[in-house]
Amino acid sequence: MFCPKCGTENPDGAKFCSKCGAALGAVPASSGASSSSDTTTGLAPNVAGLLCYVGWWISGIVFVVLEKKSTFVRFHAWQSIVTFGVLTVVQIAIAVIPFIGWILSPLVWILSVVLWILLMVQAGSGKMWKLPWVGDWAEKQASKAP
Ligand SMILES: [Zn+2]
């Protein structure tokens, strides 16, 4: 068997590499069992989940289209589309209302940015962080076969 660290060939059954001393016994188990965390894009699920939010609903749509395997990534993609889709529509809708809309508009922006940062942090740390209502709906969409 070959050392995973330095590539030196070692006799089968060796516990430690003869050259660098790396442990050899525990390594083979991890090679075949990574299917649960696989993504279509080849990115780590938490990285892909974070990227779903980077460009708001636009990046959400990108990942809903691209991602076929990871429910985690598809969940965050759908949650991004709905959350920022609704916020964008609200932003446009209130912008046309005089006075009240002009006061509310910056508040919706602040809310959007706070949610944006919060969602990226949660997804980036690998959490299935669900917003009320939106998160439940996104979870249902994500669990459907693509
Ligand atoms: Zn080695």
Side-chain angles (χ1 to χ4, degrees):
M1 71 190 301
F2 292 93
C3 171
K5 216 172 166 188
C6 68
T8 304
E9 191 173 8
N10 288 278
D12 284 338
K15 284 196 173 73
F16 299 97
C17 173
S18 60
K19 196 180 174 194
C20 71
L24 300 173
V27 178
S30 65
S31 59
S34 61
S35 59
S36 64
S37 60
D38 268 4
T39 61
T40 313
T41 51
L43 296 161
N46 64 320
V47 175
L50 189 154
L51 289 174
C52 292
Y53 296 108
V54 167
W56 288 29
W57 49 270
I58 298 162
S59 51
I61 291 169
V62 169
F63 275 94
V64 159
V65 172
L66 287 178
E67 186 57 56
K68 308 286 180 219
K69 281 195 262 181
S70 172
T71 309
F72 176 83
V73 176
R74 289 179 60 80
F75 162 74
H76 283 297
W78 277 115
Q79 184 159 265
S80 175
I81 291 169
V82 178
T83 306
F84 294 109
V86 168
L87 284 168
T88 303
V89 170
V90 168
Q91 190 66 257
I92 293 164
I94 63 173
V96 298
I97 307 166
F99 305 113
I100 300 164
W102 303 338
I103 296 160
L104 285 175
S105 183
L107 296 175
V108 175
W109 265 112
I110 293 164
L111 176 72
S112 306
V113 171
V114 168
L115 273 175
W116 181 53
I117 294 165
L118 210 60
L119 286 162
M120 283 197 292
V121 168
Q122 296 294 335
S125 56
K127 285 181 198 152
M128 273 289 265
W129 195 68
K130 287 201 290 181
L131 291 172
W133 187 80
V134 174
D136 291 326
W137 187 87
E139 196 176 28
K140 268 182 216 153
Q141 297 304 312
S143 59
K144 282 180 192 166

